[in-house]
Amino acid sequence: MIIDFHTHTFPDKMAEHTISKLERSAHLTAFADGTVHGLIASMKESGIDLSVILPVVTNPPKADEINEYAAEANSEHPEIHSFGGIHPDTENYKDVLKRAKGLGLKGINLHPEFQGVDFDDIRYKRILSCAEELGLITLVHAGFDGSYPDSQRCWTRHILNVIEDVKPQKLVVAHMGGCNIWDEVKKNLAGADVYFDTAFSFGEKQLSGLLSEDEFISLSRAHGTKKILFGTDSPWCEQKEMVDFVKNSALSEEEKSDILGLNAKRLLDSI
């Protein structure tokens, strides 16, 4: 089984405009059209069995609406599981998270750069604590973001503060612990009791400066390959290229199986 733990889609009527806007702001090229159907077509080509979709809530009152849309997509498409989302300024955050859980969503997505708040802010810590009490997974963007090149809202210092104060058991730190800050991640965060996903951390069809095969394997083993979740950041990376990268790497067969799907399955099945 192959599970892509980090993808993004948008409602059909918004996808083309949103993709175009993000391509300009982040200086990226999309490899899918940003719709659920486009993601499913990419999955079939890549041999991916399940994709986790990560909505980003940028308007605090819209969290419930976005979570209801996610639940509806999940009911229509067995190939995907959309997490919910929440904003640090969402009122009644506990009720919003309880409703997300009641809708059958297994996790929430946070994006400190797009939401304009440092990850170790008390508002995020409260959300994370409540999500943990409900048994929800929390995934957070970490490290560099091309749309906010001068911002540092979720780097290793923020993550370590959250780990110390909240002690989360189901926190996933995206982009191998922090996009384009992997030396810092290996020094300060590797081995911590969190998961990393592999989204936008290796590959040759996007930005330069991503992890080489040797660097990826070294960081994965330093952190622990049982805590690495395969993710692509589709549509911003090509799913097939990312799958082939892991399959063709010098990781052991057990490590490949764990990273490509078994770790994610164990985590998702725990909800």
Side-chain angles (χ1 to χ4, degrees):
M1 167 173 273
I2 300 178
I3 297 175
D4 186 341
F5 213 85
H6 189 134
T7 70
H8 302 282
T9 63
F10 311 95
D12 289 356
K13 63 182 180 181
M14 298 172 53
E16 183 175 0
H17 172 75
T18 303
I19 289 289
S20 178
K21 180 180 178 181
L22 290 171
E23 283 182 322
R24 292 193 302 272
S25 67
H27 308 288
L28 297 176
T29 300
F31 292 91
D33 65 8
T35 67
V36 170
H37 292 290
L39 174 63
I40 291 172
S42 173
M43 291 168 60
K44 290 179 179 177
E45 180 184 0
S46 310
I48 293 172
D49 300 288
L50 178 73
S51 284
V52 175
I53 296 174
L54 305 172
V56 179
V57 177
T58 55
N59 186 350
K62 292 285 188 180
D64 276 327
E65 180 181 331
I66 289 170
N67 294 342
E68 289 166 5
Y69 176 83
E72 183 177 323
N74 292 345
S75 68
E76 294 176 358
H77 304 286
E79 305 95 330
I80 61 99
H81 179 83
S82 180
F83 279 10
I86 194 167
H87 192 282
D89 290 326
T90 298
E91 295 183 2
N92 302 317
Y93 68 92
K94 290 184 178 180
D95 293 333
V96 171
L97 291 174
K98 287 177 183 176
R99 284 193 287 270
K101 174 79 171 183
L103 288 168
L105 307 183
K106 294 193 173 189
I108 57 168
N109 181 48
L110 305 173
H111 201 303
E113 301 298 344
F114 277 85
Q115 294 174 331
V117 177
D118 289 352
F119 184 51
D120 58 356
D121 186 280
I122 187 61
R123 289 167 287 178
Y124 276 134
K125 290 179 181 179
R126 289 169 178 165
I127 287 170
L128 195 61
S129 293
C130 184
E132 287 284 324
E133 290 175 4
L134 294 168
L136 293 170
I137 301 163
T138 301
L139 188 145
V140 62
H141 168 88
F144 176 81
D145 188 284
S147 295
Y148 299 88
D150 299 320
S151 183
Q152 297 183 12
R153 293 199 177 275
C154 187
W155 288 40
T156 60
R157 63 185 182 275
H158 305 101
I159 298 162
L160 289 169
N161 284 339
V162 169
I163 292 171
E164 181 178 357
D165 288 353
V166 181
K167 297 177 176 57
Q169 299 300 302
K170 294 180 179 178
L171 174 60
V172 180
V173 183
H175 312 298
M176 289 299 289
C179 186
N180 280 12
I181 57 169
W182 293 298
D183 288 342
E184 179 181 325
V185 169
K186 191 171 184 180
K187 178 180 178 181
N188 298 324
L189 192 59
D193 193 16
V194 296
Y195 294 88
F196 292 171
D197 79 31
T198 71
F200 214 112
S201 61
F202 52 73
E204 297 180 353
K205 292 186 178 178
Q206 200 48 274
L207 299 179
S208 61
L210 301 181
L211 292 168
S212 68
E213 179 185 334
D214 287 345
E215 290 168 336
F216 169 68
I217 292 173
S218 177
L219 180 53
S220 296
R221 288 175 174 166
H223 186 57
T225 54
K226 297 290 185 184
K227 296 185 291 183
I228 305 294
L229 310 174
F230 176 72
T232 65
D233 214 355
S234 176
W236 306 116
C237 288
E238 187 181 63
Q239 286 185 308
K240 188 176 188 306
E241 182 197 11
M242 303 288 274
V243 170
D244 289 345
F245 181 99
V246 176
K247 283 185 172 180
N248 296 331
S249 74
L251 289 163
S252 71
E253 292 306 310
E254 179 180 355
E255 289 171 325
K256 291 176 186 178
S257 295
D258 282 338
I259 291 171
L260 284 172
L262 292 182
N263 294 338
K265 185 176 188 303
R266 284 189 285 264
L267 181 57
L268 291 168
D269 286 351
S270 71
I271 309 300

